[in-house]
Amino acid sequence: MMGVESPTPMDCPIVSPIALRGSPDPLAQPLLQAVRDDMALPPGTRVAVAMSGGVDSSTVAGLLVQAGYEVFGLTARLYDVDPRHVPTSGTCCAPDDARDARAVAQALGIRHYVLDERESFARTVVDRFVQQWDQGLTPNPCVECNRSLKFGRLVEVARALGAQALATGHYARLDLHQGQPRLRRGLDAAKDQAYFLYPLAGFAARFLRFPLGCLDKTEVRAHAAQMRLPTASKRESMDICFVGAQTAKEFVQERVGARPGVIVDAQGVKLAQHQGIAGFTVGQRHGLGLPGQGPQAPVRYVIDKRPDGTVIVGEKQQLLVDTVTLQTCTWLVGPPTVGQTVLLQVRHRGQAVPALVQSIDSTQITLQLLGELSAAARGQSGVLFQAPAWVDSPLLGGGLITSASNRPARADARRQELEISVSFT
Amino acid sequence: MHYLDHNASAPLDPVAQAAMIATLPELSGNPASVHGRGQALRARIDEARRQVARGLGCSPAEIIFTSGASEANSLAISGTFGLPETRRRFVTSVLEHASVLRLAQQWSQAGVELLSVAAKNSGITDISQFAAALPQAGLCSLQLVNSELGTIQPVAQVAALARSHGVRMHSDLTQALGKIAFSLAEFDLDLASVSGHKIGGPAGVGALYVRRGVALQPLQPGFQEMGLRAGTENILGIVAFGAVMAALSDRLAAVPRVRQIRDQLWHFLQTIPDVHRHALVAAEDETGNTLSVAVAGVPSATLVMALDLDGFCISAGSACSSGSLQVSAAIASLRPDDARHQALAQQTVRISLGPETTATDISALTAVLPRIIQRIRDIGPLSVP
């Protein structure tokens, strides 16, 4: 054999490209044209897909292959699940999910790379999450993961690998409107993920693509099945990925240990002791361990948690928020202005409530609520959309809630006054 | 597809493929059977054993077929320390394959004193350190060629030292086979590991040379392979391994040409700013097929992926990671106290050529490499948040 120069000593064959074997879907051409329009890149362009191993990003990869792009997949390995708390399935980015992503890439005949991000994920997402919970905050690790990993590291790697865009399976719509990035909610209201995406800014806002923004989950599953993707019927991932089969509270408690503190009412009267602030969430009413909680007793809610470990309980009314201050803000296009009415959303699937910009500077924004908003905990993300409220309201940006004050009497009067001057369509 | 990762695995040699195809119709049966079918298969294995022995310069009775070099390394090391009379000290080098280093750690936890000899900046181990470590040792293991650097280690000298101290000597010859001409007769070894797929055979077959009279505790006791390795033989793999061993001289004949195109590639790489080559040693101290190069500002994993997307197979000197990069222990060990070297270790890739590599492969690489490196450098240091 020596001396014979083989031009292709070892080819890398496409492994069983099952996705392309199916019969043509009658909807395929309009759908694929919509995907190309959304990508705003000519077929043949090299693009990356962030593949979590779930059905959504798998479908994105499949649609992009069918739409004619040169696709490769990136999967971030984020953590090792504690063997004692391995869930049966359904989390994102666990080792099983990396295998699922690989199976999809093999089925599609595309390259797939796993990036070991465990160290930076532990530092920027997990440790910070535990630390913030322990300080009485209510952090959202998915937001931080998007900011640092998806909009940061994955974008950089995709660019370094010559991709012209990074597509993900998020349910949100991102496009350029009058030359500026515009992020709107996904059309599937039940799946909309715009809330988690608010840190999007700068280069990443022009580089990312969310091709599922105009589809609903049922359609996505149908396309996945039509392309015969191995993940087509995979269970949904809903919870915080890295806690495994534990709850977020159990996860934090296991790491910070017992931190005894007191439960007080709004007047500061001590009602009970607790074993750790991590066991409480603002808005929580069950499992508070308060004495005298018979059928006649008033229902008490956690209305605040303090860094010193004090848990404050009160009546439901006291959860209502009047003003909210956000810090560490990111603005997709530009910050809103004082006097502008915006929509404030403080949790995933939460209602966006009208609010008036009271003050804004380079470090923080304070909003006066015009509608009813309950349980806005410090550390949660506050995300602003342009008013009026409808599906096409563009996302303005957001930040972390650093204070939420509750002044019911004044708020009621002010709200009545302002509701007259703001019209909603 | 341009395959420039021969140290990871050589492309399947047509002679290996032909040998397997020729054997397939006769595959039914068990070589341990008394009947004709068993005898026919036994004949195939015996022939392969002769071919391997001839290629290595030993007797067929000294060849134990294994699943590969990793298993051969395991059998050599655990088979030696599994004997109660073996002195409880293991001398090896930091440059060894993971199958040696990980096993050494295991034996260390089981009470065997582990002495790992460092490499000099050149990527060649220090004989004087072996001389100091060998007295009272039960086993010494030193590879002949390093997989990442292509450097040739002083196995003959260390084996002579080991002999003088009455220490059993093992060498992992995996990366040397087919890249440098040698015979076991030159080395005075007791044990030596080789692998099929580094010379064009299929993965899943290798062998341990066990010098006549050297006792080992079997890892998998049974009747096959002189009682040292139980299990019905991997007939197709063994036959193909024999075939490529029989054609070893053809691989060796290609070495000067491989060296020439490797040198051309290095000449080109020097025109790219900030490209550093590890273990730049005299021609007689390296195999001539390997380039271990650090491209400053370009994480190794990124370059490997970027080249893959453009149709080139190379490998990283470090694991695909960010943050706490798992830098190759071999590269990192060269200058452990040099911060710049440790940074370069995270930007090190290995390009390894073989007889199948053509000048076209190299010119295709040189046509795209500067653009890819520039693209990655333009993005700036990939952030670790």
Side-chain angles (χ1 to χ4, degrees):
Chain A
M1 63 115 224
M2 292 301 118
V4 180
E5 291 193 350
S6 160
T8 51
M10 187 177 290
D11 216 335
C12 294
I14 289 171
V15 185
S16 171
I18 55 173
L20 309 176
R21 228 187 283 147
S23 58
D25 178 354
L27 292 173
Q29 284 317 313
L31 171 71
L32 297 179
Q33 190 50 50
V35 168
R36 287 183 206 110
D37 293 345
D38 199 51
M39 293 298 289
L41 291 167
T45 306
R46 181 181 292 179
V47 296
V49 178
M51 296 178 74
S52 67
V55 64
D56 299 325
S57 55
S58 301
T59 304
V60 168
L63 290 174
L64 293 179
V65 168
Q66 295 224 4
Y69 293 100
E70 184 199 327
V71 182
F72 67 90
L74 294 175
T75 298
R77 187 173 172 197
L78 300 179
Y79 57 89
D80 294 316
V81 181
D82 184 332
R84 293 168 301 159
H85 305 304
V86 174
T88 47
S89 66
T91 60
C92 120
C93 319
D96 286 351
D97 295 317
R99 270 196 293 277
D100 288 343
R102 187 172 67 201
V104 170
Q106 288 169 353
L108 293 170
I110 60 171
R111 287 287 194 272
H112 174 239
Y113 306 110
V114 178
L115 309 175
D116 188 346
E117 299 298 322
R118 286 176 293 178
E119 195 271 336
S120 71
F121 186 76
R123 199 159 30 84
T124 58
V125 180
V126 181
D127 291 353
R128 205 174 282 179
F129 172 76
V130 171
Q131 193 185 9
Q132 291 178 347
W133 255 105
D134 194 36
Q135 291 168 354
L137 304 177
T138 307
N140 188 320
C142 303
V143 168
E144 190 50 49
C145 178
N146 281 339
R147 183 203 309 274
S148 59
L149 184 86
K150 300 199 180 83
F151 306 157
R153 174 80 180 143
L154 288 188
V155 165
E156 285 174 342
V157 172
R159 285 178 73 193
L161 300 185
Q164 300 301 309
L166 170 68
T168 78
H170 286 105
Y171 287 84
R173 289 169 296 153
L174 175 64
D175 60 4
L176 286 182
H177 180 66
Q178 297 171 348
Q180 294 295 322
R182 177 174 63 172
L183 180 64
R184 292 171 296 166
R185 296 183 186 282
L187 288 185
D188 183 342
K191 289 301 300 175
D192 165 52
Q193 291 171 312
Y195 174 79
F196 294 119
L197 298 170
Y198 83 84
L200 188 61
F203 180 83
R206 293 171 185 271
F207 192 73
L208 275 157
R209 301 288 190 278
F210 306 134
L212 303 186
C214 292
L215 301 178
D216 68 36
K217 185 80 183 195
T218 324
E219 289 175 281
V220 169
R221 282 211 187 272
H223 295 314
Q226 203 272 330
M227 291 186 284
R228 301 185 201 172
L229 298 181
T231 53
S233 54
K234 192 172 167 179
R235 223 183 72 185
E236 199 79 345
S237 66
M238 299 293 278
D239 303 316
I240 295 174
C241 64
F242 54 82
V243 300
Q246 289 181 299
T247 65
K249 289 177 183 177
E250 289 165 350
F251 183 87
V252 173
Q253 280 169 330
E254 189 175 286
R255 277 153 187 80
V256 300
R259 296 278 179 85
V262 292
I263 302 178
V264 301
D265 66 16
Q267 286 70 46
V269 177
K270 184 182 161 187
L271 303 174
Q273 280 212 307
H274 66 75
Q275 287 308 304
I277 199 171
F280 300 91
T281 314
V282 172
Q284 179 180 343
R285 57 179 284 199
H286 295 295
L288 301 183
L290 297 176
Q293 284 292 79
Q296 306 304 320
V299 179
R300 312 250 203 176
Y301 295 81
V302 175
I303 59 169
D304 200 6
K305 303 190 288 177
R306 293 207 185 124
D308 67 359
T310 304
V311 174
I312 300 149
V313 296
E315 292 167 21
K316 188 171 189 180
Q317 180 74 11
Q318 289 174 286
L319 284 167
L320 291 176
V321 174
D322 181 50
T323 60
V324 166
T325 299
L326 310 177
Q327 290 185 351
T328 332
C329 295
T330 311
W331 305 113
L332 183 54
V333 181
T337 50
V338 171
Q340 185 178 342
T341 301
V342 297
L343 300 159
L344 171 66
Q345 183 180 348
V346 299
R347 62 181 67 85
H348 178 49
R349 298 177 198 279
Q351 188 79 25
V353 177
L356 190 72
V357 179
Q358 261 189 349
S359 67
I360 181 164
D361 60 29
S362 59
T363 60
Q364 64 179 36
I365 178 169
T366 300
L367 300 142
Q368 167 89 50
L369 268 297
L370 305 177
E372 191 168 285
L373 179 71
S374 183
R378 282 177 295 110
Q380 267 172 248
S381 293
V383 179
L384 306 186
F385 292 84
Q386 204 174 80
W390 69 306
V391 69
D392 274 345
S393 299
L395 183 144
L396 300 170
L400 298 176
I401 299 174
T402 53
S403 72
S405 66
N406 161 246
R407 280 168 291 178
R410 205 183 69 89
D412 286 344
R414 176 83 175 136
R415 195 174 299 124
Q416 277 181 355
E417 181 189 320
L418 283 161
E419 270 170 6
I420 299 161
S421 64
V422 179
S423 66
F424 303 109
T425 54
Chain B
M1 177 60 59
H2 302 277
Y3 187 76
L4 304 171
D5 201 13
H6 286 246
N7 288 10
S9 190
L12 190 69
D13 192 314
V15 302
Q17 196 173 330
M20 288 191 281
I21 289 169
T23 309
L24 269 172
E26 300 165 29
L27 203 55
S28 324
N30 188 326
S33 297
V34 173
H35 50 63
R37 209 165 246 189
Q39 290 185 24
L41 292 173
R42 173 61 48 204
R44 293 275 187 179
I45 293 173
D46 287 345
E47 171 60 12
R49 203 183 305 276
R50 284 192 290 273
Q51 290 167 322
V52 172
R54 208 174 298 133
L56 290 177
C58 65
S59 149
E62 295 173 311
I63 295 298
I64 304 298
F65 284 119
T66 65
S67 65
S70 290
E71 187 195 325
N73 288 338
S74 278
L75 180 55
I77 296 164
S78 294
T80 296
F81 287 107
L83 299 172
E85 65 270 27
T86 304
R87 287 180 294 199
R88 313 316 272 175
R89 176 186 280 187
F90 182 33
V91 180
T92 187
S93 88
V94 294
L95 295 179
E96 300 304 308
H97 188 256
S99 62
V100 172
L101 295 178
R102 296 275 174 105
L103 191 57
Q105 285 299 333
Q106 271 193 26
W107 278 108
S108 162
Q109 283 158 14
V112 170
E113 183 190 7
L114 173 61
L115 298 177
S116 291
V117 168
K120 294 179 285 190
N121 297 349
S122 57
I124 297 174
T125 43
D126 188 346
I127 299 173
S128 65
Q129 286 193 34
F130 276 103
L134 280 170
Q136 302 310 315
L139 178 68
C140 176
S141 180
L142 176 63
Q143 62 186 202
L144 183 52
V145 165
N146 182 264
S147 66
E148 288 176 49
L149 303 166
T151 47
I152 299 171
Q153 306 300 319
V155 170
Q157 294 96 311
V158 173
L161 279 170
R163 182 68 56 211
S164 70
H165 290 287
V167 177
R168 182 180 283 193
M169 182 73 195
H170 167 251
S171 181
D172 180 354
L173 305 176
T174 307
Q175 290 292 344
L177 202 59
K179 299 191 181 93
I180 59 174
F182 68 88
S183 162
L184 280 172
E186 299 164 32
F187 292 124
D188 198 10
L189 297 172
D190 297 300
L191 300 158
S193 306
V194 287
S195 171
H197 75 113
K198 307 290 188 187
I199 55 167
V205 65
L208 180 67
Y209 157 76
V210 183
R211 186 196 197 116
R212 203 183 291 273
V214 169
L216 288 173
Q217 178 76 27
L219 305 182
Q220 202 165 293
F223 295 107
Q224 290 86 357
E225 298 300 302
M226 295 131 210
L228 285 176
R229 205 269 185 184
T232 303
E233 294 86 343
N234 167 12
I235 298 160
L236 281 182
I238 288 172
V239 164
F241 186 23
V244 288
M245 284 299 285
L248 204 57
S249 56
D250 292 339
R251 293 193 89 77
L252 291 168
V255 166
R257 185 186 64 81
V258 171
R259 182 182 287 274
Q260 194 183 7
I261 55 176
R262 193 281 312 262
D263 288 344
Q264 284 165 5
L265 176 57
W266 170 232
H267 187 70
F268 174 82
L269 291 178
Q270 289 173 87
T271 66
I272 300 174
D274 276 334
V275 171
H276 168 84
R277 182 170 162 196
H278 299 298
L280 190 50
V281 293
E284 63 270 23
D285 290 329
E286 51 102 9
T287 50
N289 83 309
T290 304
L291 278 176
S292 175
V293 287
V295 185
V298 178
S300 50
T302 309
L303 186 54
V304 169
M305 293 185 282
L307 280 171
D308 180 44
L309 288 170
D310 276 8
F312 297 89
C313 302
I314 66 163
S315 68
S318 63
C320 177
S321 169
S322 77
S324 65
L325 276 155
Q326 289 168 1
V327 179
S328 144
I331 304 287
S333 72
L334 300 184
R335 297 170 197 267
D337 303 321
D338 180 341
R340 179 175 142 76
H341 175 81
Q342 295 304 316
L344 286 176
Q346 300 179 356
Q347 297 160 352
T348 295
V349 294
R350 179 186 69 188
I351 302 168
S352 55
L353 318 184
E356 294 84 354
T357 312
T358 65
T360 313
D361 292 323
I362 301 305
S363 59
L365 179 64
T366 58
V368 302
L369 197 54
R371 179 175 53 78
I372 291 175
I373 288 174
Q374 196 55 50
R375 184 177 76 212
I376 300 171
R377 282 178 171 167
D378 282 348
I379 292 169
L382 295 186
S383 75
V384 178

